[in-house]
Amino acid sequence: MEIEVSADDVAYEEDVLRDPFRLSGWLRYLSSLRAAPPAKRSAIYERSLRALPGSYKLWHAYLTELADAARALPVTHRAHAEANAAFERALAAGMARMPRVWHMYASSLLDQRLLTRARRALDRALRSLPVTQHHRVWPLLLRLASLQGCPAETALAVHRRHLQFDPGHAEDLVAFLVSAGRWRDAAEHLAAAINDDGFVSVKGTTKRQLLLDLCGLLAQHPEEVAGMPVDAILRGGIRAFFRDEAGALWTCLAGHYARTGLHGKARDVFEEGATTATNVKDFQMVFDAYLHFEHALAAAELGQAETVDIQSFWLSDRDSTDLTMARLERLLERRPELLNGVLLRQNPHDVQAWHERAKIFDKDPARHAATYVEAVRTVDPAKATGKPPHTLWLALAKMCEDRGRVECARDVFQRATQANFTAPDHLAAVYCEWANMELRQQNPERVIDLIRQATSEPSAEVRRRAAAAVSGEPVQMKLHRSLKLWIMYLDLTKTHGSLDSTCAVYDRMHDLGLATPLLVLDHATFLEDHQRFEDAFQVYERGVKSFRHPHDEAIWEAYLTKFVQRHGRSRPERVRDLFEGAVLQAPPERKKALYLKYARFEEEFGLAGRAMKVYEDAASAVPAGDRLGVYEVYVARATELYGVLKARDVYCQAISGGGLPDKDATTMCVRFADLEIGLGEVARARALYVYAASFTDPDVHCEFWKRWNDFELLHGDESTFREMLLVKRTAAASAGAAVSEMDDFRAAPKRLLRACAGQQLSGASIAQQCKRTRLV
């Protein structure tokens, strides 16, 4: 077409006419015509392409402008036809090797809904382009297949060809087949993708999810997928992928058979799923679906029964309805049993679960017994949880005994004694229960023989064989040291044996190291009840030698009490030896109680002087914290037995060399002073207050200084009161002094007390003594 050349275009025209095969000249010319009408630009493009028909830049720019201009116009406009013709000319001119040109052409055809022409163009593109560039064409083909007007066969062919090009897009084909209602084809492609070990989904879908999708297809469309190995596919999925979540697949498989009318097969699948579930979630899913299935069948049977007319009533199958209802009721009754089976599959060594299972069959003796037999065969004592494993044997034996089968119970106990329990107490419990059963059967001799056999120490040969065993020493080798068995043996000999046999059992327990303080006391009491006191004392003696503090306290208490009652008057020297031995063995915290008990014995059965000597020894032997209590009793008993003079000696001993803490020494000084005040010895009382002031801080022991103040107000004068104030100030000042000065401060009053202890001194004399000792 002819175009009008303006003055501005002359230079560009001369340039392209001078060298029409130079691309840069045409590009500059087109760039200067940005605002020109489309027709003028098209004419320039056509001229340039006649000169340079193989230029990709010119063709791309030209086709882009044509496609953009036609996109805004109706598909019936001639601009679309012109653009399509331009695309064809470009492809013919050598642009068939350019994927971008094919992409633009096919997109334009798809926008125009020219599906056949677009399909053919895309086929030409796949043939023209190398395989490495096909991935730029397939999205357009998939877009073509997804359009509403695309025939199903064409779309299916596109998806299949795409799957051959890229196997990872199997989900796209399956989704298309599902949307098209082609269930069997979809299932087959899903199965093929799952079975392909090299399949990798481009969308990240796992084979687990693909298998779930396949199961859903097989279960929901059983008629469409007829002929496929549905059972094998679903069971293989359970074994390969869904061991922990098999409930969904069992439900799908049963639903498949239910939809095809195979109700018996569906029921078998439900039963298999419920009896093989390994977790409660899967079991609950299968059981709920099973229950819903039976409800649906029962409702269908009842609905059919209601619609039967009177004439055909006698021809209707009433047994079918009753059987369906019976199945439903039986399923509800079996739920606890099935749920317990899940727990046992999770842990077959759960003893508590086995007991609960046996309890379910309480009304069915055969299954009740079979459950316990299976339990004792299944449970490994080393892995048992919940309860001790021996309780299964005991429950089985108890069941046999309750049903009158005593010999069977004995056989169960005999087998239980050979079991590989992990603890001797478990085996001991078996023997004890066996013995109790024999007692209920009035066989005491047999019980004693049984327990004697159980408590017999294994021979050296048996021990050697057990030590050589690879599995380690069995509990049967340790049974003879079971305290539980020995206590039962002891009770049996007390009831059905003699005195000597009972004592022999006690002695054997002590030899094995099984005796406890309570057994020692029981043994001694048993001998005392049979008037064998010396043997009882030997038991006590053996007990106190076997146990240490604090376990021997009760033994010593009973031993000393009974010995004093028996030999207090007749053999006091023996009692004293016993007390001396008890005091020597006692820990410091028990010495006070023993010394006081010893002193009471001397007061009751011995001499008062000996009692005072015991108190004196106690005051020096007990810990410093207990000495105040000892001295309090010592003073009280000395006053009662010997009078005030002896009490003065005790007080002097306590405050001067008694080793009391400062707080307790202050207390004793105050009580000594109260005693002297009661006797009218005011000066001696004042001297005691002065002595106590040497280790009594006024800021800490305010009560002491208040009592001294009250004492001076009642019995002193102005000079003694001033002396008290001087001592108080000196004590307050000395409280913060160094330790060496404190030692000197406390040493002087002790010398002062010793100087004043045997003489009467006035207040002024005491003050002078205090000045000389640097108290004031």
Side-chain angles (χ1 to χ4, degrees), residues 277-404:
T278 57
N279 56 68
V280 177
K281 183 186 72 172
D282 288 344
F283 168 77
Q284 190 65 37
M285 182 182 298
V286 174
F287 185 84
D288 290 345
Y290 193 6
L291 187 62
H292 180 74
F293 169 74
E294 294 292 354
H295 268 297
L297 291 181
E301 292 286 348
L302 293 175
Q304 292 177 4
E306 292 177 358
T307 58
V308 174
D309 56 10
I310 297 176
Q311 295 180 356
S312 60
F313 174 75
W314 297 105
L315 300 177
S316 62
D317 189 1
R318 290 177 296 172
D319 292 340
S320 177
T321 303
D322 295 340
L323 181 59
T324 302
M325 295 302 297
R327 285 197 186 104
L328 179 59
E329 293 175 1
R330 176 60 179 159
L331 178 61
L332 292 173
E333 292 175 356
R334 291 174 57 215
R335 188 182 186 282
E337 174 189 350
L338 294 174
L339 182 58
N340 181 263
V342 175
L343 300 179
L344 289 178
R345 281 188 291 277
Q346 290 178 346
N347 181 12
H349 308 288
D350 189 348
V351 178
Q352 179 64 32
W354 282 108
H355 282 296
E356 293 175 356
R357 187 174 184 82
K359 189 175 181 181
I360 295 173
F361 304 124
D362 278 342
K363 298 180 181 179
D364 189 348
R367 297 197 67 182
H368 191 244
T371 299
Y372 275 123
V373 171
E374 183 182 2
V376 297
R377 290 176 178 174
T378 304
V379 175
D380 184 355
K383 302 177 182 178
T385 59
K387 281 187 175 182
H390 72 277
T391 56
L392 294 172
W393 292 96
L394 300 185
L396 179 57
K398 181 64 176 175
M399 182 194 65
C400 296
E401 181 187 0
D402 293 342
R403 293 172 185 168

Side-chain angles (χ1 to χ4, degrees), residues 451-459 476 479-480 486 508:
I451 300 300
R452 183 184 298 113
Q453 176 186 357
T455 55
S456 299
E457 188 174 0
S459 62
Q476 284 79 5
L479 184 63
H480 68 285
W486 279 103
R508 183 57 180 162

